[in-house]
Every structure is written in structure tokens, then in C-alpha cells.
Amino acid sequence: DAAHARGMKVVRDSKFRHVFGEVGKQKYEDLRLSSKATESTGIRGNSKFVCFAWDAGGGGALAVLPSTKYGRMPRDLPLITGHTGPVLDFEFSPFDESLLVSASEDLTMKLWRLPDEGLKQHMKEPLAVLEGHGKKVLFSHFNPSADGILASCSFDFTTRIWNVGELDEAFSIQMPEQVNHIKWNYSGSLIATTCKDKKLRVIDPRTNAFVAEVKVHEGVKPSKVEWLGGPAATDDGYRFVTTGFTSQAERQIGVWDMRKLEDSEPMNMLMLDQGTGALYPFFDHGAQMLYVAGKGDANVRYFEADAADPYLHFISDFRTTVPQKGVCFLPKRCVDVHKHEIIRGLKLEASAVQPISFRVPRKSDAFQEDLFPDAPSGVASMGPDEWIGGADCREPPLRSMEPGAAAVAGPAKKQAVGVVSVKELRAQLAEANARNDALQKENELLKAELAQLKG
């Protein structure tokens, strides 16, 4: 029958049909990982650093390792220790690899400026603090296109948007339910949130409006969301995928179009297995590949997205014998194109972080243009004031993946948004006060001299 044929269409013409995953030869070992359960992926990385939560007794510590520092870690590893409660989420800026944000149970988010060579001692003093949430902060998520724009969600039932450069709240959206996941779309104009009431809501933060709403999965366990679309896609970024559970705790992946939610029906709903952990989806917008990793699983499934029915084609899964506490994927510019590596990830294990690589088997050493379309350059498409002011969102500027190509194929590289740290402000204040004291003394001396002259 048609439904059976639809599910069985596995062999199809695709350059990614033979993608395979493999573990890296080196890993980060002897890690004392935090046992705090969170709704975050639990690990983040870029070309310079790897970050994860550390077991520090009272909670609230993050370890940040230089990405080249493989091997066994010392017991007295330097940590970020500025939070007074456990850290629930953290993320690197997409435009500044040394800028990290962390969200905590202590009601704050903190920004950290990391030294290029990594931490040499504990870092307690943040670059800046973002305060305003009335309860634990669950998520912190940078806009992928506009510089210095950060979204956060909290147990206080608000989603807030921050202007990081001004340390100021720009927008606040009242949520009807607690949020289980949050994701900006490709151009940074909309935010998708999955909520505890089993609904997904798409927010236009600049108009304080819910522009789409749909019940996505029947199960009570948390759902997650990821946007499809991208530079080569023709659907203008209206589609997204959700992962979740049936009422019988079977895991699912749903494909949705926010323009077609009237009948609350997905475009496709894939049934996976009886797993227990939440599935975290990650979409490579250039290759149009979806990677799905479950907490507690020992595998990563991957699919190719398609504009036509059934919209997602299962390719394969990368299996290991070691379960994962979380998986993240690095920016596309981190891949090794010489090895035909199309994405690189980090797998958080019980006491280690294992790099994983997904590759296309090809004999030629030459640059494979069809595998590597232009990718986000790590440069913002617009500044925070322009975004807050309601300007049309522009997709991230792209750069060629070919070795030796110009760094940015887009607007001239602008200086990333600057944040003045509390320490710098204190130093500036002390300097101003000292100058003020000196001027007062000078003034008193001049008055005394004038009095003598008059006398």
C-alpha cells in the first residue's frame, strides 16, 4: 500500500547516502561531570573551546578546555565558579568564540570573557551579569544572525530578549506554560518554544506575539525543536521538526509547516523506538542534514531533509557502546574538508568528552564543492539596535568552505558587540574618583594661593 511504500523508500539518489560516523582518536578524559539533570544539551564547543558543567559540590561550576588539550585532565582543573546555584544552560556566542553565557538557578545569566589560551586559574568575576528573571533561568540562546541578541527562558514563565552590549532587557514575552526547549530560526526573526502543556509556540519577540501554536506530541516527557530551512531551501524557513513521545512513551520525530497548522496535523510523523531519554535535534542548514541524539542513548541517527514528501529520509545511525549524557555539534567552519568531514560533534560520556566525526567516503583529495556549500562565516548580519528597531532580519553572511578562500563572503567584518565588564567599570570609577580628588586638592591649593595674594 501507499503508506508502506512511503516508509520503505530508503534507497534514493543522494550524495549523503553513505555518510558514516567515527570517533576521534583523542578525547578529553578524567572529567568530574556535574550530575545535575537539565533540559540543555549539557555540552558546547567551537573551534577554540569545549565547555561542560563540572561537579563542584554546590553546583554552578563550568569547565572550559582549549579544544586542542586532549588527554587526562588534572583534579584541580581551573573552572568558572561565579554562580551560586547550579548552571542549567550555557552557550558560546556565534560571533565571538571567547564569549560564553551561562544561565543558572541563582536567577542570573552571566557573560564570561575567556582568555585565548584557556583558563589558568578559577574565574569568579564575570564580564557582566544579566538580571531580571524572578526564578531559575532554564535556557540562554544567542541569536544566530543579529549580534549581541540573547534569548532566555525561566521558571517565572517568561521568555526574555536581551541586548548584551547594553546589559538591558529588550523584550519580555509572558508564557502560558513552562518551556522545555527554545530555538531561534535561521534568520533570527522568530523563536520556537516547546512547552510543558505539549504545545509548540512560535514567538515573534519584536511584536510580543505568538504567530503559531500546535500540539506536537501526546507524551508528558519534554519535546525538543529545531528549524529546517537554510540558504538553499525554498520554503523560506517555515518548517521545523519536533522530537517527543507518544502517550505510550514511544519516541517520535514530527515535521511541521507553521503556515499549515490549522488542522494540527504534522506533514510527517516518524516513529522511532521505546527509548526513555529526550531526543535533541540538530540541523545542518548547508547540507540539509538532521542529526538526532538522545540522552542515555549510545547512537546518533541522521536524516536528509527534502522539500517533498516524506520530507525526512533516514540515512543511518552512528552507534557506539558508550551511552551519552549529551551531544553537541560544532560550527560548520570547524570541519576538515580534506577528509570530506561534513560535521563534527562532541559526545559527553560518564567521565569523558569524545569528539565524533561524520564523513562522506570519497577517493579524491580535491575540495568537493557539492559536499560543502558556503557556510555561516561567524560574522553577524546586523547589529543589536537594528534588530531591536524592527529591521527585516537578514540571514547570516556565508563564506566559502574551500581552503584559502576569503574569510567572509558578506558584509565587511564588523567589530563584535562590546561588553564592558564590572571589573573595568570599577577601574574606570576608581580612576575618575582619583582624578576628582586630585582636582579638588589642586582647587584648594589655588584658593589658598589666591587668599595669600589678596592678603
Side-chain angles (χ1 to χ4, degrees), residues 68-142:
T68 52
K69 191 185 174 184
Y70 297 108
R72 296 179 180 278
M73 296 302 140
R75 299 290 288 172
D76 56 349
L77 194 70
L79 304 168
I80 289 176
T81 58
H83 283 290
T84 56
V87 174
L88 300 181
D89 195 15
F90 47 93
E91 190 178 82
F92 289 103
S93 163
F95 313 120
D96 182 347
E97 295 204 313
S98 300
L99 184 65
L100 177 75
V101 67
S102 53
S104 169
E105 284 193 6
D106 67 12
L107 318 191
T108 69
M109 287 185 294
K110 296 190 175 179
L111 292 154
W112 308 92
R113 166 70 58 205
L114 303 167
D116 281 344
E117 66 285 355
L119 299 178
K120 295 286 181 245
Q121 58 200 44
H122 287 336
M123 185 182 270
K124 194 161 187 179
E125 197 71 41
L127 179 64
V129 182
L130 296 170
E131 294 178 287
H133 279 298
K135 291 191 176 176
K136 301 171 187 177
V137 188
L138 275 164
F139 295 106
S140 53
H141 181 30
F142 279 107

Side-chain angles (χ1 to χ4, degrees), residues 137-205:
V137 188
L138 275 164
F139 295 106
S140 53
H141 181 30
F142 279 107
N143 188 301
S145 187
D147 199 8
I149 297 294
L150 179 73
S152 64
C153 292
S154 159
F155 277 103
D156 67 8
F157 284 50
T158 62
T159 294
R160 302 185 189 213
I161 312 298
W162 306 80
N163 180 346
V164 170
E166 300 292 325
L167 304 181
D168 210 14
E169 185 187 299
F171 302 100
S172 178
I173 300 97
Q174 195 66 37
M175 302 298 293
E177 234 329 332
Q178 184 190 312
V179 171
N180 285 329
H181 202 217
I182 176 172
K183 201 71 201 245
W184 287 103
N185 66 346
Y186 182 68
S187 66
S189 61
L190 302 171
I191 302 171
T193 59
T194 53
C195 300
K196 202 174 176 182
D197 61 2
K198 307 175 188 176
K199 287 186 176 179
L200 175 133
R201 294 174 173 87
V202 178
I203 303 165
D204 181 343

Side-chain angles (χ1 to χ4, degrees), residues 46-48 97 330-336 341 344 401:
N46 57 29
S47 71
K48 285 167 78 169
E97 295 204 313
L330 307 188
K332 190 75 173 197
R333 58 185 179 276
C334 299
V335 302
D336 185 344
E341 179 184 52
R344 186 179 296 176
M401 294 290 286

Side-chain angles (χ1 to χ4, degrees), residues 357-394:
S357 170
F358 291 86
R359 291 161 52 184
V360 175
R362 286 199 180 169
K363 291 192 172 80
S364 170
D365 291 336
F367 176 70
Q368 306 287 300
E369 204 171 331
D370 63 323
L371 297 182
F372 299 104
D374 292 355
S377 58
V379 176
S381 67
M382 61 202 297
D385 295 339
E386 203 182 345
W387 187 89
I388 289 166
D392 284 347
C393 288
R394 298 188 290 277

Side-chain angles (χ1 to χ4, degrees), residues 8-82:
M8 290 302 292
K9 192 183 171 191
V10 176
V11 179
R12 51 188 284 275
D13 187 29
S14 165
K15 53 185 174 269
F16 298 115
R17 212 172 88 203
H18 301 293
V19 166
F20 66 97
E22 60 180 6
V23 297
K25 290 183 175 64
Q26 295 174 295
K27 59 182 176 179
Y28 314 91
E29 299 178 84
D30 285 358
L31 310 178
R32 287 169 48 206
L33 301 176
S34 168
S35 57
K36 175 76 183 174
T38 72
E39 290 302 328
S40 160
T41 55
I43 180 161
R44 304 282 186 187
N46 57 29
S47 71
K48 285 167 78 169
F49 300 109
V50 175
C51 180
F52 45 87
W54 192 261
D55 181 16
L62 290 173
V64 182
L65 308 176
S67 57
T68 52
K69 191 185 174 184
Y70 297 108
R72 296 179 180 278
M73 296 302 140
R75 299 290 288 172
D76 56 349
L77 194 70
L79 304 168
I80 289 176
T81 58

